[in-house]
Amino acid sequence: MNVTEASIEVTAIPLTDIEPNPDQPRKFFDEAKLEELAAQFRSVGQLQPIVVRMVGGDKFQIVMGERRWRAMHLVEGATTIEAKVVSSVDDEQAFVMGISENIGRADMTLMEEAQAYADLVGFGYQAERIAEMFGKTTDYVRWRMDLLNLTTDIAELVAEGKIKADFAWYLSKLSPANQKVAVTRYMKGDFKTETDASTFAQALRMKENQEGFFSEKELSEKEKEDKAKERKQAKGKVDQVERAGTLLEELAKMTPSELADLFEGEVGKQLDAVERVRKAAAEAVKKLRKAKAMSEAKQLTVRPELEVEPEEGEEEPSEAEIAEVAAEEPLEAELETAA
């Protein structure tokens, strides 16, 4: 049921006769934004009425428009507010209408959105239906509700906007102990990018699920020699990459006309070569970022639910297992927007 389907009457109601809905999904109201709206009311008046319903015989409860109601209290001399009075609206319908108004608002926090979806589930709605109601994908709704697995203090940081959506979701998959580990590093500024933070959280999750990713078995002398040789060769390749990077930096300093003159007749060929390097470098960076996170996670002493040293004898997961875990994770863009 929506507002247009209800019996509607528009009237001016005393502010004192109206109370907010205690089940209002949005709990945070930006004081600066409220003052901006109040200034608009002072200048041009109330352009859009709020929506209320009768409760207790002589009182009204807000169905939609609590922000406007709060802002009107800031207008000097204001005693009434224009409102649409709807009838035949029960608690569930009022709640759904309230969510409909707030979903998508810039000032609705991630945690308020997550709780709103969860409350609808409590009313018996399925994630698929909720997604359809609000123009989201089913996965989007489920990912938001996953945020309710965050510890209280971390959820507050998310609500305050100090932790972004994608990293928050990866945190929600961790044990409380590892949530704290990851957030402590995040708040200290240990990660250069949001992607680095999310990758570290993924590595912690893998550690929880698989209890380590590097073999701790004792190597034979021959195996140690082979490992040392592999490491030396790998470092040598990195040295070559650095030299290639220096050459590319020199090319980047040249103007297009200089490059056209330098590679006359072969510009396309050189462009293809550099493009191959760019793609390979991007893939290498992606894997090295994950390797760095795995290495850092391995060094931590905090394990799922327990603060103890990790046991030995744990095996590194296969590439297939890593790929399987990665396939389960949402893309960053999907976490920030809904289809």
Side-chain angles (χ1 to χ4, degrees), residues 36-48 72 75 82:
E36 287 181 10
L37 185 55
Q40 176 185 310
F41 289 165
R42 298 186 191 102
S43 176
V44 298
Q46 182 187 351
L47 300 180
Q48 182 180 8
M72 190 62 77
V75 178
E82 292 292 319

Side-chain angles (χ1 to χ4, degrees), residues 112-126:
E112 287 172 341
E113 185 181 5
Q115 188 60 60
Y117 294 147
D119 288 342
L120 284 174
V121 170
F123 276 121
Y125 288 80
Q126 299 295 318

Side-chain angles (χ1 to χ4, degrees), residues 252-323:
K253 293 177 182 178
M254 301 177 71
T255 66
S257 59
E258 289 174 333
L259 290 170
D261 182 61
L262 180 64
F263 297 118
E264 185 177 2
E266 295 186 341
V267 176
K269 177 181 178 181
Q270 304 305 325
L271 176 61
D272 289 342
V274 174
E275 181 65 20
R276 287 196 299 273
V277 172
R278 185 193 66 80
K279 290 181 179 179
E283 187 63 24
V285 166
K286 181 179 178 181
K287 291 185 177 180
L288 284 170
R289 179 179 284 121
K290 180 171 288 189
K292 178 176 179 289
M294 292 172 65
S295 179
E296 292 173 346
K298 176 181 180 290
Q299 297 173 28
L300 295 175
T301 59
V302 178
R303 295 185 62 197
E305 311 302 339
L306 301 174
E307 295 186 354
V308 297
E309 294 290 335
E311 298 176 356
E312 297 185 353
E314 298 168 337
E315 296 183 354
E316 180 178 2
S318 65
E319 287 292 327
E321 290 173 321
I322 294 176

